[in-house]
Amino acid sequence: QVHMVESGGGLVQTGGSLRLSCVASGYDFSRYLMGWFRLAPGKEREFVAVIDWNPKNTYYSDSVKGRFTISRDNAKRTLYLQMNSLKPEDTAEYYCGKHYSGSLYFPSSYQYWGQGTQVTVSS
């Protein structure tokens, strides 16, 4: 059974940093692309970043490029999102997802999700 558990969220001031983690189980983690999405109140789930099974290949949304870094440790079955220079508009519930098929940027292309971790950035 596939499980993913996110952690690392919290309350931080503008300009601060957080590091999110997502621990996966129940499948061969190293063989799949993994992504981070976020969901803010009143908005649709938004693509943040994705990483290939080869950790050298990463892609970011324009809104986080240069501030966030996605990485993975296949031995630990863990996905990370280092978030720096946080802004109030980054406030959202953050989810990790296992890519299944299709575009890397659409939530519908991901087969499983964790329960989310809340990030709140105060101004």
Side-chain angles (χ1 to χ4, degrees), residues 63-82:
S63 62
V64 308
K65 194 175 297 182
R67 300 187 297 122
F68 291 11
T69 302
I70 189 171
S71 61
R72 66 191 297 164
D73 185 331
N74 287 335
K76 295 183 178 180
R77 308 172 65 86
T78 301
L79 178 73
Y80 301 101
L81 186 68
Q82 177 66 44

Side-chain angles (χ1 to χ4, degrees), residues 9-47:
L11 174 63
V12 65
Q13 291 186 334
T14 297
S17 297
L18 285 172
R19 189 194 195 200
L20 307 184
S21 298
C22 168
V23 179
S25 62
Y27 69 102
D28 189 350
F29 177 80
S30 65
R31 295 171 60 89
Y32 289 88
L33 287 85
M34 294 292 297
W36 285 101
F37 284 72
R38 63 188 182 187
L39 182 62
K43 296 186 177 181
E44 295 185 352
R45 194 170 295 205
E46 175 191 20
F47 168 77

Side-chain angles (χ1 to χ4, degrees), residues 14-122:
T14 297
S17 297
L18 285 172
R19 189 194 195 200
L20 307 184
S21 298
C22 168
V23 179
S25 62
Y27 69 102
D28 189 350
F29 177 80
S30 65
R31 295 171 60 89
Y32 289 88
L33 287 85
M34 294 292 297
W36 285 101
F37 284 72
R38 63 188 182 187
L39 182 62
K43 296 186 177 181
E44 295 185 352
R45 194 170 295 205
E46 175 191 20
F47 168 77
V48 175
V50 64
I51 186 168
D52 199 349
W53 61 268
N54 180 344
K56 294 181 180 179
N57 299 328
T58 58
Y59 306 93
Y60 298 91
S61 69
D62 288 342
S63 62
V64 308
K65 194 175 297 182
R67 300 187 297 122
F68 291 11
T69 302
I70 189 171
S71 61
R72 66 191 297 164
D73 185 331
N74 287 335
K76 295 183 178 180
R77 308 172 65 86
T78 301
L79 178 73
Y80 301 101
L81 186 68
Q82 177 66 44
M83 305 187 297
N84 298 329
S85 302
L86 283 161
K87 305 175 181 179
E89 51 262 46
D90 295 318
T91 295
E93 191 87 8
Y94 283 70
Y95 298 87
C96 62
K98 169 184 171 288
H99 183 262
Y100 174 64
S101 178
S103 170
L104 301 179
Y105 308 110
F106 295 156
S108 58
S109 300
Y110 292 74
Q111 191 176 25
Y112 295 99
W113 300 96
Q115 84 290 346
T117 185
Q118 178 67 37
V119 172
T120 303
V121 185
S122 62

